Amino acid sequence: MNSFTEENYLKAIYKLTEQSVGNVTTNAIAEVMNTKAASVTDMVKKLADKKLVNYAKYQGVSLTKKGEDIAIQIIRKHRLWEFFLVNKLNFKWDEVHDIAEELEHINSSALIDRLDEFLGYPKYDPHGDPIPSKNGIFSANNFYKLLKLNEGDSGKVAGVCDHSNTFLQYLEKQKLGLGTSVYLTEKNEYDQSVVITTTDGRVLFLSKEVANNILIAK
Amino acid sequence: MNSFTEENYLKAIYKLTEQSVGNVTTNAIAEVMNTKAASVTDMVKKLADKKLVNYAKYQGVSLTKKGEDIAIQIIRKHRLWEFFLVNKLNFKWDEVHDIAEELEHINSSALIDRLDEFLGYPKYDPHGDPIPSKNGIFSANNFYKLLKLNEGDSGKVAGVCDHSNTFLQYLEKQKLGLGTSVYLTEKNEYDQSVVITTTDGRVLFLSKEVANNILIAK
DNA sequence: TATTTTTTTTAGACTAACCTAAAATATCCA
DNA sequence: TGGATATTTTAGGTTAGTCTAAAAAAAATA
Ligand SMILES: [Mn+2]
Ligand SMILES: [Mn+2]
Ligand SMILES: [Mn+2]
Ligand SMILES: [Mn+2]
């Protein structure tokens, strides 16, 4: 079994791998893990001993198949728990991440399989992120950044790129939760801001920054 | 905040206090915590520094109000999660304890309050143990040991004294789950074994040991 | 009550995960 | 291409929780 700390390192390396080309650097891990480079080196050696990462001095790390499988299972648990918190316990989407950070380390595959069944095998978490299946497969989506849509396009809010509480709460305030139907009324060339209309008739002005962080399913 | 280990010590001390008169001994804690007396002494000093236990060398320990409050909250979480696992995720009563041992350390009072609400504020866990309320109050029960009932008495299985998997699985096999209605047909003076009849007409022969570990609500 | 046995504490050591400071290596750029 | 800068690793130390062995205190018993 792996400790919580080891699991968190694997998850961090997985997420950094998604964002970067080539191996993940020591400093990058240190930053997301909120620790020092020296500590990362120690841990990375330990993970390499356990065959969870590939590591050579000064070369950065990559996950092995085994390490990646573990990382994906943790992400699966995280997102299933987030779905549970929002859809069964009525939490808001900006309230669940920290609790899921703890729940994701509960170690029981029976638990997570039954939770998955109880929730009806959801495909996406409350932020629109795909929930990997039991065997580690992510379902593909065809979501588009609101910023990239054309005037006249319509669709539903399907996810966010920025997961910060401030952004989620901003959308909450604008009543732009997951599933909200929107219609792109106007694109402003000058500052790339957009005007959208919701199906309940509200007209909203969104900046480039906001439009860039909203994903729409057409 | 307290570590998982500290929480487990507090819970162990709480449970030992229920069973014993006077202070809880170092050796007794070592036994239930599956550790050595020397380690217990170290931890007990730390808990005393944090004002969670009263401790004087060679005198054993007792929980302070603060320590007891924490212990009760952990028991609340443990039992609510057990209820969730059995009643929402369809686990058997002999499968939930170990998972609840992990879940009980998830640190969010919002989570546990909402879980409580979601579950309909249950009063007893799947083993008949009372679930303390948010403010730490256990509801009283009037359960009787099956062994102490008289011929002709009837009632429902409301709990168990032995929480071991072997005992729970034995009852499962006999279809004597929580809520089963039973009628005491016969008491055998010689070996204190009993014969009971369930409402669905099954006649069961139970030894003294078994009858002593089943709680009945009349 | 004195001696033996048991319980508890202390002393000293280990591991995991972290730290700081310094050394080693890699990268950048004039 | 060589020196400056940035990154990474090493060396050595800390804390929490554990351990074993030995010392101290309490309890049991003769
Ligand atoms: Mn999250
Ligand atoms: Mn999420
Ligand atoms: Mn339990
Ligand atoms: Mn229970």
Side-chain angles (χ1 to χ4, degrees), chain B residues 136-166:
Chain B
I137 300 183
F138 291 87
S139 54
N141 67 42
N142 54 335
F143 299 161
Y144 305 87
K145 291 193 166 202
L146 177 53
L147 191 66
K148 303 293 180 193
L149 296 192
N150 299 311
E151 283 181 9
D153 285 350
S154 63
K156 288 186 175 186
V157 175
V160 293
C161 300
D162 179 357
H163 290 66
S164 71
N165 282 6
T166 47

Side-chain angles (χ1 to χ4, degrees), chain B residues 78-79 82 97 125-127 129 163:
Chain B
H78 183 101
R79 294 181 181 170
E82 283 191 344
H97 182 76
D125 86 359
H127 313 103
D129 296 308
H163 290 66

Side-chain angles (χ1 to χ4, degrees), chain A residues 46-61:
Chain A
K46 202 173 119 192
L47 294 174
D49 287 346
K50 296 176 103 175
K51 312 278 184 211
L52 299 174
V53 301
N54 305 115
Y55 169 67
K57 268 192 200 178
Y58 296 103
Q59 305 305 127
V61 289

Side-chain angles (χ1 to χ4, degrees), chain B residues 3 5-6 9 34-36 38-39 42-43 46 58:
Chain B
S3 68
T5 309
E6 290 170 321
Y9 270 92
N34 236 298
T35 183
K36 297 297 151 82
S39 309
D42 283 352
M43 177 56 81
K46 202 173 120 193
Y58 296 103

Side-chain angles (χ1 to χ4, degrees), chain A residues 67-113:
Chain A
E68 185 178 318
D69 287 349
I70 294 169
I72 291 173
Q73 285 312 307
I74 296 163
I75 289 168
R76 169 171 159 81
K77 290 192 278 181
H78 183 100
R79 292 181 182 169
L80 279 173
W81 279 117
E82 283 190 346
F83 187 96
F84 168 74
L85 293 172
V86 167
N87 294 84
K88 298 291 181 179
L89 300 195
N90 294 116
F91 279 93
K92 298 272 175 57
W93 66 354
D94 58 293
E95 297 172 325
V96 298
H97 182 77
D98 292 347
I99 302 175
E101 283 293 306
E102 297 191 43
L103 285 164
E104 73 189 6
H105 301 291
I106 302 292
N107 181 28
S108 163
S109 50
L111 171 61
I112 212 68
D113 292 345

